[in-house]
Amino acid sequence: MPSRLSDAFRAHPVHLYPKHPDFNSLQELPDSYAWGLLDHELPNSSSAQSFGSSDNSVPVIDLTDPNALALIGHACKTWGVFQVTNHGISNNLLDDVESTARSLFSLPVHQKLKAARSPDGVSGYGHARISSFFPKLMWSEGYTIVGSPFEQFRQLWPQDHGKFCDIIEEYEREMKKLAVRLMWLMLGSLGISKEDVKWAGPKADFKDASGALQLNSYPACPDPNRAMGLAAHTDSTLLTILHQNNTSGLQVHREGTGWVTVPPLPSALIINVGDLLHILSNGSYPSVLHRAVVNRTQHRLSVAYLYGPPASEEISPFSKLLGPSQPPLYRPVTWSEYLGTKAKHFNMALSSVRLCSPQNGGILVAANDHKRLQAWPEN
């Protein structure tokens, strides 16, 4: 997210808990982190569907499969999330970025706080911004990278920040290339051509698109059944590319099924449909509601690449997808404006840009909006 997108957050500063605990020193779950026994048991519990039955498993798609476009379209429509293999990102680079995240979160708290995110800022170390919408804290740490990490990494690692910067910058370059490839597959599965997307640029490479990197740490937790790693939310992106280490924790919500664990698969990456692709598809590709639960004995790491359009480009349902019986469900909105809306309204952001159109004397609403709200944890 370039600096102009940061303005969305400056208007909605988040003043979160000045104390950042050393999770490794906590032998019991503090009350401030105790969410109570909700429906977020560990991934291998009976209430969370896990990898096994294909009907209840997040699709896994080989990007070299000749049918990849159709498979991606089906996954976007029915799940809003899928895993990809043979995506072209080397295992060495995935290992390096995971090692960088591990090194960062292993630093003493006082050292990490040298790169703390400001209340109205985007980059740096701190709690998830969505924490302000919930009465309890989340058992996690985060670090957001926008643009070059050089200045902040120099605060964290005065001697050897260079090697960590190189890894992050290479990862961002490779993620952007993969995001472009995935965008055309996802749009192509909707019947959208390069001529339909003027903001993709003359070379159709989304040159002016925006991206940010989010590193997440979920330490082992003494009472995981009463803690939440990251509360349920959708991403304010076109798409998100997530790498997770070999510890389970990510869950997605599917209507009619409930919470489904996305298992770590060697070399696979997870692709989430974000709110802006939800809007572009006129609601036919739902942005996926997801969360992270924690583990009693294992430390989980994830790295998310958040991909969006040019900050000032108005995003609205593609005209090719509209007709007399398919009116636009959402008004035009820029990513910068939408980020501000999400910072202010959180789970009501999509609804706040939704258009209500009369149909048969009633109201036509986006198919997933009401179902989505029913799945949010109570404040």
Side-chain angles (χ1 to χ4, degrees):
M1 299 178 193
S3 58
R4 58 186 176 274
L5 286 178
S6 303
D7 293 339
F9 299 110
R10 290 195 185 101
H12 303 283
V14 176
H15 297 277
L16 288 174
Y17 330 101
K19 294 188 69 174
H20 290 253
D22 178 358
F23 286 105
N24 294 325
S25 68
L26 298 176
Q27 302 302 313
E28 295 183 357
L29 186 71
D31 180 68
S32 57
Y33 287 87
W35 286 59
L37 290 172
L38 301 177
D39 63 339
H40 66 279
E41 290 89 345
L42 289 176
N44 60 359
S45 72
S46 59
S47 71
Q49 302 290 329
S50 57
F51 192 66
S53 166
S54 59
D55 290 339
N56 285 331
S57 298
V58 170
V60 180
I61 300 170
D62 182 340
L63 288 187
T64 63
D65 188 323
N67 296 316
L69 186 142
L71 293 170
I72 285 174
H74 185 259
C76 288
K77 194 176 187 71
T78 58
W79 281 88
V81 61
F82 53 95
Q83 298 208 61
V84 293
T85 59
N86 287 319
H87 41 66
I89 308 298
S90 74
N91 286 337
N92 285 342
L93 182 55
L94 293 175
D95 290 343
D96 284 347
V97 78
E98 184 180 318
S99 177
T100 297
R102 193 178 302 280
S103 296
L104 191 157
F105 291 117
S106 296
L107 292 171
V109 173
H110 74 271
Q111 187 73 11
K112 288 181 282 193
L113 288 175
K114 291 182 178 180
R117 184 176 61 239
S118 64
D120 61 353
V122 179
S123 298
Y125 171 77
H127 297 286
R129 284 186 60 92
I130 66 171
S131 296
S132 62
F133 292 96
F134 296 91
K136 296 292 185 177
L137 300 179
M138 300 174 201
W139 195 265
S140 59
E141 304 171 272
Y143 194 99
T144 309
I145 299 169
V146 180
S148 172
F150 180 81
E151 288 301 325
Q152 288 188 324
F153 275 19
R154 189 169 60 175
Q155 298 292 319
L156 298 175
W157 297 288
Q159 304 305 320
D160 53 1
H161 53 275
K163 67 176 183 180
F164 293 118
C165 288
D166 291 343
I167 291 168
I168 291 297
E169 289 173 354
E170 181 185 359
Y171 193 76
E172 288 179 320
R173 286 193 299 271
E174 292 301 310
M175 285 291 109
K176 185 168 187 178
K177 284 192 276 187
L178 178 58
V180 171
R181 182 181 177 190
L182 289 165
M183 274 296 295
W184 286 122
L185 285 167
M186 295 162 92
L187 294 178
S189 67
L190 284 166
I192 302 301
S193 67
K194 294 180 179 179
E195 291 72 30
D196 298 319
V197 193
K198 303 304 181 188
W199 49 272
K203 296 183 179 179
D205 59 356
F206 296 101
K207 181 182 177 183
D208 295 325
S210 307
L213 207 59
Q214 177 67 37
L215 313 180
N216 300 303
S217 168
Y218 304 94
C221 178
D223 193 355
N225 288 330
R226 296 195 303 132
M228 181 68 75
L230 192 60
H233 65 285
T234 58
D235 292 339
S236 309
T237 59
L238 289 167
L239 62 87
T240 300
I241 305 172
L242 184 78
H243 166 64
Q244 59 176 343
N245 70 349
N246 59 4
T247 299
S248 286
L250 176 64
Q251 295 184 337
V252 300
H253 194 269
R254 191 186 193 201
E255 186 65 26
T257 304
W259 289 107
V260 180
T261 295
V262 186
L265 297 179
S267 303
L269 293 169
I270 299 158
I271 314 302
N272 289 351
V273 172
D275 291 346
L276 296 187
L277 185 56
H278 180 121
I279 292 171
L280 286 175
S281 70
N282 207 32
S284 63
Y285 285 4
S287 53
V288 64
L289 190 70
H290 57 287
R291 66 185 182 185
V293 295
V294 291
N295 189 285
R296 186 179 298 277
T297 58
Q298 294 178 296
H299 181 198
R300 179 173 175 266
L301 292 167
S302 70
V303 181
Y305 181 70
L306 310 168
Y307 189 69
S312 57
E313 184 67 38
E314 285 201 330
I315 297 300
S316 59
F318 284 113
S319 58
K320 186 178 282 188
L321 305 178
L322 307 178
S325 60
Q326 291 90 28
L329 291 173
Y330 299 92
R331 67 171 177 83
V333 62
T334 66
W335 195 21
S336 182
E337 179 191 353
Y338 188 74
L339 285 170
T341 301
K342 197 72 174 273
K344 183 177 181 180
H345 297 296
F346 188 41
N347 58 327
M348 297 300 292
L350 262 181
S351 294
S352 73
V353 299
R354 188 181 64 207
L355 299 171
C356 292
S357 306
Q359 178 173 291
N360 297 327
I363 295 294
L364 176 67
V365 297
N368 293 283
D369 283 2
H370 288 315
K371 296 173 184 176
R372 167 187 322 280
L373 297 182
Q374 293 168 7
W376 292 93
E378 295 181 359
N379 283 8

